[in-house]
Amino acid sequence: KAGVTQTPRYLIKTRGQQVTLSCSPISGHRSVSWYQQTPGQGLQFLFEYFSETQRNKGNFPGRFSGRQFSNSRSEMNVSTLELGDSALYLCASSLGASGTNEKLFFGSGTQLSVL
Amino acid sequence: QQPVQSPQAVILREGEDAVINCSSSKALYSVHWYRQKHGEAPVFLMILLKGGEQKGHEKISASFNEKKQQSSLYLTASQLSYSGTYFCTGGGADGLTFGKGTHLIIQP
């Protein structure tokens, strides 16, 4: 069974540009969550999609958005990039909506560098 | 609100024991533990669902005190493979919020 796939693996952008990251969950998983990871801050929750609907959203500005398609694949978009957006972006999939008893399976992440 | 983990970092010799603590200011329905090795994705360790529940896998176990909103991860007779960053996360209606992590270094 294939794991969670994130593309691209590395990305270099300049300030002001926008970027789209992609996440393909494990087959059969309907929930995809996105996290931003930076040194010292751990995993910061961005948002979660379940059956194409945004279920929860973290405390990030509106420049961060996402969507989920009918095949459960998800994309995350960041517009008007800032230097502080440089981070590892991880997505995780789970069978059901994340919360009490769902195990998350993480992808390897997309390392975004903003110059 | 992120769960608070302690200690932030710990260095051990192979064979020593370690305890990592996690506490939350909000009500938790469950506690999850994940481990991330350098350059790799976080990997699930265990979920604790009930207050006072203890779970274990080989030499790694955990407890969850629902009344105190606290959980502890116990690593017994640590092995080199235990090195990494350990994250706790609280499960609730608004999804999972991870702590900042505890860096564990095991030296031979």
Side-chain angles (χ1 to χ4, degrees):
Chain A
K1 202 173 188 181
V4 178
T5 304
Q6 290 188 246
T7 57
R9 185 71 181 89
Y10 300 95
L11 208 49
I12 300 175
K13 292 286 187 178
T14 56
R15 279 182 299 174
Q17 288 187 310
Q18 75 165 18
V19 66
T20 299
L21 311 181
S22 179
C23 173
S24 293
I26 291 172
S27 177
H29 284 195
R30 295 166 62 191
S31 171
V32 173
S33 303
W34 289 89
Y35 294 86
Q36 182 194 66
Q37 185 172 31
T38 54
Q41 292 302 315
L43 295 158
Q44 302 283 312
F45 173 70
L46 282 156
F47 28 66
E48 178 192 3
Y49 287 87
F50 180 76
S51 295
E52 300 180 66
T53 301
Q54 187 179 87
R55 183 170 172 266
N56 288 302
K57 191 178 191 311
N59 189 25
F60 277 82
R63 300 185 296 106
F64 292 81
S65 63
R67 59 178 175 169
Q68 186 180 34
F69 302 95
S70 58
N71 62 357
S72 293
R73 189 178 71 86
S74 177
E75 287 183 347
M76 189 192 97
N77 185 275
V78 187
S79 62
T80 318
L81 284 166
E82 300 177 359
L83 295 178
D85 296 334
S86 294
L88 178 66
Y89 290 87
L90 292 162
C91 86
S93 76
S94 57
L95 203 57
S98 74
T100 303
N101 59 355
E102 287 292 337
K103 183 166 66 170
L104 297 184
F105 295 83
F106 284 86
S108 297
T110 293
Q111 184 67 53
L112 172 65
S113 297
V114 182
L115 306 178
Chain B
Q1 304 102 321
Q2 285 180 294
V4 176
Q5 291 185 230
S6 63
Q8 289 185 333
V10 59
I11 300 174
L12 297 175
R13 293 282 185 193
E14 199 174 5
E16 293 181 335
D17 301 339
V19 179
I20 300 172
N21 300 303
C22 172
S23 65
S24 174
S25 59
K26 71 170 188 177
L28 297 175
Y29 301 106
S30 64
V31 174
H32 307 214
W33 286 95
Y34 288 79
R35 177 173 63 202
Q36 183 178 30
K37 293 183 179 287
H38 183 68
E40 299 181 8
V43 173
F44 169 82
L45 289 176
M46 64 186 74
I47 294 176
L48 298 103
L49 298 176
K50 301 177 183 177
E53 181 182 10
Q54 288 192 324
K55 292 191 70 174
H57 176 66
E58 296 183 348
K59 295 179 181 177
I60 299 178
S61 62
S63 63
F64 175 29
N65 187 321
E66 189 178 352
K67 289 184 180 178
K68 293 185 177 180
Q69 305 301 315
Q70 293 175 347
S71 178
S72 293
L73 187 71
Y74 307 95
L75 298 101
T76 306
S78 56
Q79 307 168 11
L80 294 176
S81 61
Y82 289 178
S83 291
T85 303
Y86 289 78
F87 294 97
C88 71
T89 176
D94 55 353
L96 297 176
T97 305
F98 284 81
K100 292 186 178 182
T102 295
H103 302 284
L104 177 64
I105 298 172
I106 310 295
Q107 296 178 333

